[in-house]
Amino acid sequence: MRFEVLVEVRLRPGIADPQGATVERALPALGFAGIDHVRVGKAIRLQVEAPDKAAAATTAQAVTERLLANPVIEEADVQVLGPVPAEVAVP
Amino acid sequence: MTARVAVVVFPGTNCEHDVVGALAGLGGDAELVWHGQRSLAGYDAVVLPGGFAHGDYLRPGAIARFSPVMEAVARFAAAGGPVVGICNGFQVLTEAGLLPGALQKNAGLRFVCTTTGIEVCTTRTPLTAHSAVGDVLRLPINHFEGNYTCDGATLARLRAEDRIVFRYTDNPNGSVDDIAGVCNEQGNVVGLMPHPERACDPLLGSTDGAVLLGSLLGVADTRSRAVPA
Amino acid sequence: MEGTTETGEPLHRALGLTDDEAVAIERILGRPPNQLELAMYAVMWSEHCSYKSSRVHLRRLPTTGPEVLVGPGENAGVVDVGDGIAVAIRIESHNHPSAVEPYQGAATGVGGILRDIFTMGARPIALMDPLFFGPLDDARTRWLVEGVVSGISGYGNAVGVPTVGGQLTFAPCYARNPLVNVLCLGVMPVERLVLGRASGEGNLAILLGATTGRDGIGGVSVLASAGFEDTEAGTDKRPSVQVGDPFEEKRLIEACLELLDRGLVVGIQDLGGAGLSCATSETAARAGMGMDVDVRAVPLRQPGMAPFEVMTSESQERMLAIVTPANRHAVEEVCRRWEVRATVVGTVTAPGPSGGRLRVLDGPEGPVLADVPAASLSEDAPLYRRPMAPPSDAAARRAQDPAALPAPDDCGPDVLAMVQDTSWVWRQYDHQLFLNTVVGPGADAAVLRLAAPGLPPSRRGLALSTDANPRWCAVDPRRGTAWTVAESAVNVACAGARPVVLVNCLNFGNPEHPEVMWQLSEAVDGMAEACEALGIPVVGGNVSLYNESNGRDIDPTPVVAVLGVIEELRRRPPVPGLVPGHAVVVLGDTTDALAGSRWAVERHGQRGGELPPFDGPAIARLLRLLVTLVGEDDLLSGVHDVSEGGLGVALAECAVASATGARLRGVVGHGALFSEVPGRVVVCTGRPGSVLDAAAAAGVPAAVLGEAGGERLVVEGLVDLPVADLIAAWRSALPAALDEPLPAGESG
């Protein structure tokens, strides 16, 4: 089966995030108040061939630990969103 | 000189010819080694040059660290061989775990290409053996992600163990403790963001990089005579 | 059967073709075209691809010379610079995409010009970026500047080609229509020069690089909505912005150069405007052959693309190589090593009695979807002679003469207002890679060593400058363009280089406006006059029309780039600067003509007047003198071309560069201080007698203005400023306007 997986990669707490800071600073001038703690990370989507959801999660976790996130500065959440219908799967 | 220097080329690397040329200009013998090669036998020093390996996609060096050649680099380093990572090469070494810490986006969120003051902080590495602590070299920097970061414990270790090799005299990117380069515990693996190969020719401006690359060649040369071929 | 759109409009009109053009297509084919054929003609005959409004004028440019190997008409101009080395050079625009998405518009502009260079067999070794924006007090302009500079930086640095110079101009006419022009220069051993020619019946057309998506199809997208093709309902899958991939391009460069080094290709062509339609038809036409293209063989980024989309897609980072069947596997092997996709998409066919046919097939032996004469797509493109007329208010503009402006009591504030450090821009570009940049951004011309892997050794050097002056051209497009050519030639001569060729990018407004066509025609004539007088052939050009802001045409903005050769590059040529105790000498004649000057236009809003005529012989004498003076060791300690802001700004820039003042006299008034008539150079020298003698022998007027030194820049009666003030104003001008902090780190 094919599963859609979403991996959210974030900077670990305490690591400086100049992108997040810049975005946060720009908000008041755009008329937004009361917004803070902006952190910019990455969202990586993949489709995984696996017998079931749990196996897909395990594989995705392994890929994340090995490649998608750098543990020195990043942490990540892996979320299996669901099976991909066969007709929609990209060849 | 008898030393042979391997200059590793990943897809997207672009400073390899500059490094080879600079080493040749100092009397060294440098060769390009493709990232798919699994052996570094016969080489006395290894340089990972600057550029954009794999486009810097995902994170600079994140994909390059898995290239076949990196296992050979790790073995070479473990055996005490001199390894230098310049800019993107430094990023690859940190991703590969051969050096501590990580390189993040510059604090100013801009690419910076300029020449700036770099202070030598230790002479215990192959790159700095010919320098003196406190020497300030004018070296080019050229990066978007040169902001060195590591946790407090690591930083304390680096300081205690004399492993901070270079500091910026005017921090251009937000690096912790103004760190421009570090080395491993043994002191044989060095990573630095500045480009010494870009400062070896009077026609181009500063020649302050020559002392660093010359030192590397000297150490490699000694090694080539001592280690049986 | 042509069909109509949902609104009942004939399809050809919806595709941008005129009725006459539709008739012409039918006459060429001997039958009505089908939609795929119509789409292919529509993109190939667009202004952008066919230059239909400008070709009739461009023919008047001088394009030949003993050193020219390839002139206009190919992907890039190529010049023989000696020592067995050829240089390829081209400049292109990517204006409209950059207005919409500045980062990707600029990035893909860099990608496109790089391909024009390495498709000739040259390794790209330098980029330059002349940029034009509206005033910086507008937040949107600041956003555009940020995006464009980041895009050039992001793509150029990652692909690994240094950006060594450019130009930055701010003027109201560009407010909604920035101009992003990018120049690329490449080098090769002369034997590696290759043309985009599909010769040899049975040879294969191999598509290299990125997959093909729906990029850039905009104009022909009406075909999809016409409902004739099979599409997924409801989803807009058409990206309006192309995303560049510099890593793909880097691999493509290395793969293509290796293919060429090993003699594995017969011809090669990059895919740019009109994508596959252009690459296949042009390569076939140049060789007098035909080509069969299998549209199903093209690797796609998105499923279910219609044939017209595949044939007109402008997806980036693709090349078309013509390869003998015997070399196919070797080519695939090289591409595999560089991780570059290589797919056979077509075959070269023999021409029939009326020439070669371009046929698009649906599968290897599939039905023929399109069948047109290959050459007709480019060679039969319409040639327009659009109406031209000088501005109706010409007399009133001439009368608006800056000579009538009152003389300021103190010219200091004007000088302070016009100095600007552009390093905020160029420090974002890798300008050092390849260890060839002897003089980088910020000087009059970039100076490059002539060196690259695989190139024969040479002691020569190259000097390169891009130049444009819309203020001069707004006053008088003919003289203004001639002056621009002169300025560019003088810039390279200031580095000790002999100008050898010129490339241009003509950025103008709406060609349906007679005044704009008049401007274009005049600019071409001015360029021709200057190039002939100075012996500099034009080896390539690009035209960008329909540049308008808020319904107003931009000022005529012809951009030129002159390439010069330095016979022997032994040491760094002198750059703008002053040495205490040395004399400051001005070469060339100074008048007080202020029309078109920054002082008149920017400081006093006076845009009219008349430009003095272009004096070709005087410029030519100055060029020869400069090459001699700069070539002599230890004669000149500083050199600076006088252009924007006149003598006043040139002297200020020299003072800033060396943090050294000067005490000068003999500049008779503000007119002489701020006049921008080309043909003057400021030099600093420890041997003024020798310089004066050489100038006299060369027939160039020269005068000692005074002596360098001290902490103030004094031009008696006009300027008395602390150098520290000049430096502060210069350093902060651009960051302040961009609302940015001053850069950290020392300057290099």
Side-chain angles (χ1 to χ4, degrees), chain B residues 11 13-14 17-18 34 52 54-55 57 110-115 117 138 140 142 169-170 198 201 203-204, chain C residues 146 157-158 160 245-247 250 424 427-435 437 449 571-572 740 745-747:
Chain B
T13 294
N14 60 37
H17 296 288
D18 292 354
W34 187 239
F52 285 75
H54 302 280
Y57 293 152
R110 285 201 207 295
F111 194 97
V112 176
C113 175
T114 187
T115 299
R138 290 195 56 73
N142 184 74
T169 59
D170 185 0
R198 294 185 178 193
D201 188 336
L203 197 57
L204 304 175
Chain C
E146 276 268 358
N157 297 348
D245 180 352
F247 180 45
K250 166 69 170 170
W424 181 92
R427 272 178 227 242
Q428 297 186 51
Y429 304 149
D430 182 353
H431 48 273
Q432 305 161 341
L433 181 65
F434 298 156
L435 307 184
T437 311
R449 241 204 299 240
R571 49 169 177 72
R572 195 169 188 253
E740 288 276 319
E746 297 158 70
S747 56

Side-chain angles (χ1 to χ4, degrees), chain C residues 165-456:
Chain C
Q167 179 174 334
L168 197 59
T169 297
F170 301 102
C173 68
Y174 307 113
R176 286 285 170 269
N177 195 133
L179 301 183
V180 176
N181 290 181
V182 188
L183 174 145
C184 183
L185 180 146
V187 294
M188 58 190 149
V190 175
E191 320 78 69
R192 205 170 67 196
L193 171 60
V194 63
L195 301 177
R197 218 148 275 210
S199 48
E201 183 185 353
N203 281 346
L204 306 170
I206 301 186
L207 184 61
L208 307 176
T211 51
T212 296
R214 291 190 168 94
D215 308 270
I217 287 175
V220 295
S221 61
V222 64
L223 282 181
S225 57
F228 291 111
E229 305 288 351
D230 181 60
T231 59
E232 284 170 34
T235 335
D236 179 20
K237 325 165 265 9
R238 229 151 283 113
S240 56
V241 173
Q242 300 154 41
V243 173
D245 180 352
F247 180 45
E248 177 87 58
E249 182 107 330
K250 166 69 170 170
R251 301 195 313 277
L252 198 55
I253 291 174
E254 299 306 329
C256 288
L257 293 180
E258 186 175 333
L259 291 177
L260 291 165
D261 272 335
R262 291 171 50 178
L264 291 173
V265 309
V266 165
I268 190 161
Q269 170 86 1
D270 74 301
L271 272 74
L276 266 173
S277 297
C278 181
T280 52
S281 63
E282 280 196 357
T283 49
R286 285 202 195 102
M289 303 293 282
M291 192 176 292
D292 279 353
V293 179
D294 174 7
V295 77
R296 286 209 183 279
V298 177
L300 302 178
R301 191 167 78 226
Q302 282 167 286
M305 281 176 62
F308 85 88
E309 295 177 308
V310 177
M311 291 305 294
T312 61
S313 163
E314 294 185 350
S315 291
Q316 299 290 300
E317 289 105 22
R318 298 176 301 160
M319 304 285 284
L320 190 73
I322 309 300
V323 179
T324 62
N327 280 331
R328 174 184 176 167
H329 290 298
V331 168
E332 288 170 345
E333 177 50 44
V334 171
C335 292
R336 199 163 19 243
R337 187 164 167 276
W338 286 106
E339 297 174 41
V340 168
R341 219 172 268 101
T343 315
V344 177
V345 299
T347 326
V348 179
T349 55
S354 51
R357 310 287 302 183
L358 175 66
R359 302 192 315 161
V360 180
L361 310 180
D362 191 5
E365 307 286 326
V368 177
L369 301 177
D371 183 350
V372 306
S376 69
L377 286 166
S378 47
E379 287 170 25
D380 291 338
L383 184 73
Y384 289 168
R385 288 180 161 78
R386 290 195 187 271
M388 315 190 297
S392 47
D393 60 347
R397 287 149 152 244
R398 265 198 305 278
Q400 231 204 0
D401 195 334
L405 291 168
D409 293 324
D410 175 9
C411 294
D414 288 321
V415 173
L416 287 169
M418 289 196 282
V419 292
Q420 180 185 84
D421 172 19
T422 52
S423 68
W424 181 92
V425 171
W426 52 260
R427 272 178 227 242
Q428 297 186 51
Y429 304 149
D430 182 353
H431 48 273
Q432 305 161 341
L433 181 65
F434 298 156
L435 307 184
N436 287 336
T437 311
V438 176
V439 177
D444 288 327
V447 177
L448 302 174
R449 241 204 299 240
L450 190 52
L455 211 63

Side-chain angles (χ1 to χ4, degrees), chain A:
Chain A
M1 290 184 68
R2 200 160 248 282
F3 292 90
E4 172 110 1
V5 177
L6 175 62
V7 178
E8 188 209 338
V9 178
R10 290 185 301 276
L11 288 172
R12 292 171 69 150
I15 301 286
D17 178 11
Q19 283 186 106
T22 302
V23 170
E24 193 171 318
R25 265 197 318 271
L27 294 175
L30 297 172
F32 294 102
I35 301 181
D36 49 38
H37 283 82
V38 177
R39 305 278 282 171
V40 174
K42 286 177 218 170
I44 300 164
R45 281 178 186 264
L46 27 143
Q47 293 184 354
V48 179
E49 279 281 355
D52 56 42
K53 224 174 153 173
T58 305
T59 301
Q61 189 66 39
V63 173
T64 299
E65 281 166 24
R66 191 133 161 81
L67 181 64
L68 300 181
N70 179 345
V72 175
I73 46 172
E74 294 170 332
E75 55 191 27
D77 287 334
V78 177
Q79 219 188 330
V80 181
L81 299 176
V84 177
E87 319 85 63
V88 177
V90 177

